Amino acid sequence: MRSKTVQAKLVTDAPESFIDKVRNAKDLCFSEDNYVKGYHFSHQFIGNIISQDDVDRWTRQTPVCIAAQTGTGKSSFVFDKVLVSVKNRTKRLCIIGSRTVLVQQYKKQAANLEEPDLLKELTEEGFKKRHTFGSIDIYSYQEIIYMLSKNPMQFFSEYGAVVLDECHFFTQDAAYNELSQEILECIITSAQHCVRIYLTATPDVCLEDIINLEKKYSKAQLSCLQGIATYGFFINSQLDNFLLYYFDINYDYITPCFFKEDSEIVDIIQADQSNAKYLICVDTKTRGQSLEQILGKSIAEFIDADLKNTLKAEVVMSMINNEQFEKKVLIATSFLDVGINLKDQNLLNVVIYSTDQTHFLQSIGRKRKQIQQAVSLYIHIPNQEDISRHLKKARFKQVELMENIRTYCDSTTAYNLELPDSIYIKKIDGRIQIKYNGFAFTYWEHRVNELTNMLESLKSIPNSDEAFARHFLNWLGLEHLYEQIHWLGNSPTDKNELVQLIENYTNRELTGDEFRKFREEFQEIYNRLYPQTSIRDGRTPHLTVLNKKFNELGLALIASNIGNAGNSIYIIKKG
């Protein structure tokens, strides 16, 4: 029997963001100040919509952001149309990426297009050291900040366009990369004469900050250059539009499945004797190491940010070059969420442990969609306590960031201390200053909001498993499929039998005999549904055990004895 719970409407009390406004718009729409012009398209390849004429019309006064799902041809668009437009202007193209693996992929694509002999001549180390391939220069964001520190005003002088790929990096990495805001500011201010093109599959976390900085520095540039002939044309008396091209998502090739316990997905993998492979994307190093140990290193490979550059560097390079991994199971942290495209025909299963929407969607995107190939997506459903703990940590990080700014940025001696995340030292006009990454505020605010929204969904659907499952499906645009989706182990519908029993005894005073009957029935149903955490036979559960099980099931209930020593009266009510 399936749950009859109606589909939840997942909303937030926060004002509608511009990206949401574009998502919901049927026609062209503008931001409140008319600076941003938003185009909404159905899911399709970017190059089928944005024509060569469109690209040729872009100018340095019209920053562009293309928000489209992975696998919709963003890099192909760059080489097929942006490069052509740049060459027609007798300029060069600069591409900047957020991860080493992404940069390496771009370099090999550029070499194949501009200087194919380099594919045979250069080693992997040679590609890392080389940045120029014909009319194209390629850097990581970390390399760009170094290059700009040496020659900020002239670095971009040869370029007609600068592509900032995976631009969610600026905000998503701000929690631990103190320079991400400064990198973006340096690029915008130094590349004011270039067309600036932002690419991402996950714009929610970063778009507002990018728009605000573009508007800020474009206004500053405008006030300086008004009426002056610069680079062959006059500056207009007002800002041109920031152009946003938003493409709908489409995950109809995915078959979702939910699970609660590690043992449930482990059992599936261990029972699979086919050639099918599994990509497991984890949110912590500890979980990744645990899964590798349980599955066994003969079939499973765990890689994190540290291992990819050390013990597992060759494995990662093989994945980049061959677009597949060797073992049956690859377990990876978020280092994999950008840059590695896996096109292995045997990769038919993706497993995700994440409550972070950007990590969640980027992880799915590592498996490139193949024509008429279905992919099973196993989604781990956290319990309510996990979400509350993550939310508590995010709020703590917000407060900690404010306190660190007051402690260090106002100090005259802080440069002698070890600085915390998001705080850094910079020499400006010969003076040492303590600065902070403002994008860290955006990241933690975004994190607080998405976790709060998950907990808010419990107001519509009290069952946390179902509520969170629907929430993840909402990220994929597949919430309407909830009733058709399989659960490993016991689904929330199975739990309804137990919930129904509890409801029959809730909010009424129970005698000792009535409470004993409830405990016996509870134990029988619970042990049948949850054999791995069953209540010990031979002894019915009393108050402490019952309340512990209520908590584990995500039920906001408490059982207590409200009678006296000679006359026990029990009640089960909301805690």
Side-chain angles (χ1 to χ4, degrees):
M1 179 180 176
R2 286 286 181 181
S3 168
K4 300 299 183 183
T5 306
V6 296
Q7 180 173 321
K9 185 178 181 182
L10 303 173
V11 297
T12 175
D13 292 333
E16 183 183 47
S17 66
F18 184 68
I19 189 68
D20 284 330
K21 182 178 180 180
V22 176
R23 281 191 183 105
N24 297 326
K26 294 182 179 179
D27 303 307
L28 173 69
C29 65
F30 291 84
S31 58
E32 290 185 4
D33 59 3
N34 289 321
Y35 174 58
V36 189
K37 183 188 292 187
Y39 299 89
H40 179 179
F41 301 104
S42 61
H43 177 82
Q44 53 196 299
F45 282 101
I46 295 167
N48 294 342
I49 291 295
I50 305 177
S51 69
Q52 189 65 58
D53 287 342
D54 292 328
V55 178
D56 291 342
R57 282 194 291 269
W58 293 345
T59 74
R60 71 181 191 82
Q61 292 176 281
T62 54
V64 175
C65 178
I66 300 174
Q69 185 177 333
T70 54
T72 52
K74 289 190 284 291
S75 61
S76 297
F77 173 78
V78 170
F79 289 122
D80 293 345
K81 294 187 176 178
V82 176
L83 180 60
V84 170
S85 183
V86 166
K87 285 184 174 181
N88 288 340
R89 302 179 192 185
T90 66
K91 292 284 188 177
R92 298 175 59 78
L93 173 64
C94 182
I95 301 173
I96 316 175
S98 60
R99 299 280 192 272
T100 302
V101 289
L102 175 63
V103 170
Q104 287 289 91
Q105 283 195 341
Y106 261 125
K107 286 179 177 180
K108 291 178 181 179
Q109 286 179 278
N112 185 55
L113 191 65
E114 297 280 290
E115 300 183 70
D117 289 344
L118 291 177
L119 293 173
K120 297 179 180 179
E121 296 173 7
L122 293 179
T123 63
E124 293 300 333
E125 192 62 30
F127 270 104
K128 285 184 180 180
K129 293 179 179 179
R130 189 182 181 101
H131 299 287
T132 298
F133 303 86
S135 301
I136 308 168
D137 291 342
I138 302 172
Y139 297 90
S140 69
Y141 290 118
Q142 291 77 7
E143 290 170 326
I144 278 292
I145 192 69
Y146 172 74
M147 302 298 290
L148 289 176
S149 68
K150 295 170 61 178
N151 194 3
M153 299 312 296
Q154 297 300 316
F155 182 80
F156 288 109
S157 60
E158 296 181 324
Y159 301 123
V162 178
V163 174
L164 298 90
D165 199 6
E166 305 295 355
C167 61
H168 56 273
F169 152 83
F170 296 112
T171 306
Q172 188 71 11
D173 284 22
Y176 56 86
N177 185 331
E178 68 273 7
L179 296 177
S180 66
Q181 179 178 350
E182 183 170 333
I183 293 170
L184 180 56
E185 288 181 328
C186 287
I187 293 172
I188 293 175
T189 55
S190 302
Q192 278 290 303
H193 65 283
C194 304
V195 179
R196 297 174 299 286
I197 303 168
Y198 300 88
L199 305 177
T200 182
T202 48
D204 296 71
V205 71
C206 65
L207 184 62
E208 296 292 339
D209 279 331
I210 291 172
I211 290 172
N212 289 337
L213 281 186
E214 279 287 355
K215 186 177 179 182
K216 172 184 175 181
Y217 289 110
S218 294
K219 274 186 173 181
Q221 185 79 350
L222 181 65
S223 64
C224 293
L225 300 178
Q226 262 181 357
I228 301 175
T230 306
Y231 299 104
F233 57 89
F234 281 89
I235 302 298
N236 295 325
S237 60
Q238 61 183 21
L239 288 175
D240 285 349
N241 291 110
F242 182 110
L243 305 179
L244 171 63
Y245 295 84
Y246 175 79
F247 291 78
D248 284 335
I249 59 174
N250 183 354
Y251 291 98
D252 61 2
Y253 66 97
I254 280 175
T255 302
C257 182
F258 303 121
F259 70 99
K260 290 278 294 180
E261 306 294 335
D262 291 351
S263 58
E264 293 168 351
I265 191 63
V266 167
D267 289 345
I268 292 292
I269 296 172
Q270 290 179 334
D272 188 345
Q273 299 300 311
S274 71
N275 293 326
K277 293 182 179 180
Y278 292 76
L279 169 63
I280 304 180
C281 301
V282 295
D283 50 1
T284 67
K285 179 177 180 178
T286 302
R287 190 189 293 276
Q289 291 172 327
S290 174
L291 288 170
E292 181 188 49
Q293 183 177 6
I294 294 170
L295 290 167
K297 294 185 179 181
S298 61
I299 68 166
E301 186 105 55
F302 170 67
I303 307 177
D304 65 1
D306 293 328
L307 291 171
K308 73 165 182 154
N309 294 319
T310 53
L311 299 177
K312 302 292 179 72
E314 290 186 8
V315 177
V316 173
M317 199 52 61
S318 174
M319 279 194 289
I320 295 172
N321 294 333
N322 301 319
E323 299 183 324
Q324 63 182 22
F325 51 89
E326 294 301 319
K327 293 186 180 180
K328 186 176 184 68
V329 183
L330 173 65
I331 308 167
T333 59
S334 60
F335 95 88
L336 191 76
D337 67 10
V338 171
I340 293 182
N341 300 321
L342 300 171
K343 298 180 180 179
D344 191 341
Q345 291 288 338
N346 290 327
L347 178 52
L348 303 176
N349 307 279
V350 178
V351 182
I352 293 186
Y353 291 83
S354 183
T355 58
D356 183 309
Q357 184 179 13
T358 299
H359 177 226
F360 186 95
L361 295 177
Q362 289 289 338
S363 296
I364 295 172
R366 293 317 98 214
K367 164 58 181 173
R368 289 309 196 192
K369 180 181 178 182
Q370 307 291 306
I371 296 175
Q372 295 183 334
Q373 184 186 62
V375 175
S376 294
L377 175 65
Y378 296 91
I379 304 171
H380 176 255
I381 304 301
N383 57 44
Q384 186 175 345
E385 289 70 31
D386 290 335
I387 302 301
S388 297
R389 187 174 65 255
H390 290 319
L391 179 58
K392 183 178 180 180
K393 176 184 175 181
R395 286 174 170 159
F396 172 79
K397 287 291 186 179
Q398 285 182 307
V399 174
E400 182 183 55
L401 181 58
M402 287 294 299
E403 291 177 348
N404 286 340
I405 290 171
R406 285 193 292 266
T407 300
Y408 293 94
C409 295
D410 296 336
S411 171
T412 58
T413 60
Y415 56 85
N416 292 321
L417 306 174
E418 184 177 342
L419 299 178
D421 290 339
S422 304
I423 310 290
Y424 63 102
I425 295 173
K426 185 176 183 182
K427 183 176 280 189
I428 302 176
D429 297 328
R431 294 179 57 202
I432 292 178
Q433 294 189 19
I434 310 297
K435 300 191 70 177
Y436 66 91
N437 187 347
F439 286 177
F441 285 109
T442 303
Y443 172 77
W444 288 117
E445 181 180 6
H446 182 82
R447 190 79 179 113
V448 166
N449 287 340
E450 68 182 357
L451 291 167
T452 300
N453 286 343
M454 290 190 73
L455 293 175
E456 286 289 310
S457 66
L458 297 176
K459 293 181 178 179
S460 299
I461 306 175
N463 185 297
S464 62
D465 289 351
E466 180 177 347
F468 297 159
R470 287 183 179 274
H471 198 89
F472 290 130
L473 290 179
N474 182 265
W475 288 352
L476 300 168
L478 300 176
E479 195 190 353
H480 61 285
L481 298 179
Y482 175 78
E483 300 293 347
Q484 306 168 32
I485 294 173
H486 176 65
W487 284 75
L488 304 182
N490 296 295
S491 74
T493 304
D494 296 323
K495 194 194 302 183
N496 283 349
E497 182 182 359
L498 199 57
V499 172
Q500 185 62 55
L501 168 71
I502 298 170
E503 288 179 350
N504 291 339
Y505 285 88
T506 299
N507 293 327
R508 64 187 181 91
E509 295 184 359
L510 304 172
T511 65
D513 289 340
E514 289 174 323
F515 191 60
R516 185 181 305 107
K517 181 182 179 183
F518 165 75
R519 289 185 289 140
E520 291 171 350
E521 293 177 2
F522 180 92
Q523 183 177 25
E524 187 276 323
I525 297 174
Y526 182 91
N527 286 356
R528 173 161 44 84
L529 294 179
Y530 304 96
Q532 293 178 330
T533 58
S534 62
I535 301 168
R536 188 176 62 181
D537 290 332
R539 183 179 180 183
T540 55
H542 216 279
L543 294 175
T544 302
V545 174
L546 278 175
N547 288 326
K548 179 182 178 183
K549 296 303 180 184
F550 290 167
N551 185 56
E552 290 175 358
L553 292 167
L555 304 174
L557 297 170
I558 187 168
S560 58
N561 185 350
I562 60 173
N564 52 47
N567 183 29
S568 294
I569 300 294
Y570 299 90
I571 190 168
I572 302 170
K573 60 182 181 179
K574 287 188 176 182

